[in-house]
Amino acid sequence: MTLQTIKHFPYMKVTIGRRNSLRFHNVPLKKTELGSTDDKIVALCKSLLDVNITVDDFDRSHIIGSIKKYGNTQLICRFRNWKIKNSIFQQKRKLKNNPDKTVITEDLTQYRQYLMKRLNDARKRHEIDSFWTMDGRIFAKKTPEATKKFIGGMEDLSELFFSN
């Protein structure tokens, strides 16, 4: 085990616990449907992603926060295994240009969400080309031709922004 691994070990345990979870953002949900988040996720996966899952494919789903002004909310779902979660996450590109603006993201820790926000801001300023997550890890590319770089913390962000 490296010093870096030991230093981040408690953080790694938290991330591993989130490995089988996905967050569904901007899901249209009425207050009368609060008890049927499982059915909502199954329907969303079938209709928008062409992925056939059943309620038996996940352990639990629930709303996060409250229903927004226009009837959209965020749902989180913990799948029974990584393969099911990954089959859905790989199809998330099919959500581009959907009328509800539904988005699927991995269930990241607050710190990694912060890193993603910083990367998104950098992309909007055209300082980087792209960034993405894979199994809770964050990667970025400064240019389309560049090699992907793992972003584990602020040091990696600084290195990405200030490297040639």
Side-chain angles (χ1 to χ4, degrees), residues 72-133:
N72 290 344
T73 192
Q74 185 180 149
L75 301 177
I76 188 165
C77 181
R78 182 176 180 90
F79 293 90
R80 290 212 183 266
N81 63 53
W82 178 84
K83 286 181 181 180
I84 297 168
K85 174 240 168 184
N86 201 42
S87 69
I88 293 166
F89 194 63
Q90 287 178 343
Q91 298 299 318
K92 72 178 187 166
R93 288 186 181 196
K94 291 181 179 178
L95 293 174
K96 283 193 177 193
N97 302 321
N98 75 69
D100 294 320
K101 299 186 183 207
T102 302
V103 177
I104 298 175
T105 62
E106 291 188 289
D107 183 28
L108 301 175
T109 63
Q110 190 172 6
Y111 180 65
R112 289 196 178 178
Q113 287 176 15
Y114 171 76
L115 293 175
M116 291 291 286
K117 182 176 179 351
R118 296 287 306 266
L119 286 165
N120 193 37
D121 293 343
R123 186 182 63 195
K124 287 177 183 176
R125 292 188 307 267
H126 305 290
E127 293 174 0
I128 62 169
D129 177 63
S130 59
F131 65 97
W132 64 95
T133 64

Side-chain angles (χ1 to χ4, degrees), residues 1-14:
M1 224 183 250
T2 66
L3 180 61
Q4 184 80 355
T5 305
I6 293 169
K7 189 169 115 181
H8 291 292
F9 184 70
Y11 181 70
M12 287 171 43
K13 283 177 34 179
V14 171

Side-chain angles (χ1 to χ4, degrees), residues 21-23 41 60-62 64 74-78 107:
S21 297
L22 290 175
R23 289 181 180 236
I41 288 175
R60 184 162 192 252
S61 71
H62 61 86
I64 295 179
Q74 185 180 149
L75 301 177
I76 188 165
C77 181
R78 182 176 180 90
D107 183 28

Side-chain angles (χ1 to χ4, degrees), residues 7 15 33 52 72 96 124 139 156:
K7 189 169 115 181
T15 302
E33 299 174 310
N52 289 318
N72 290 344
K96 283 193 177 193
K124 287 177 183 176
F139 297 93
D156 296 323

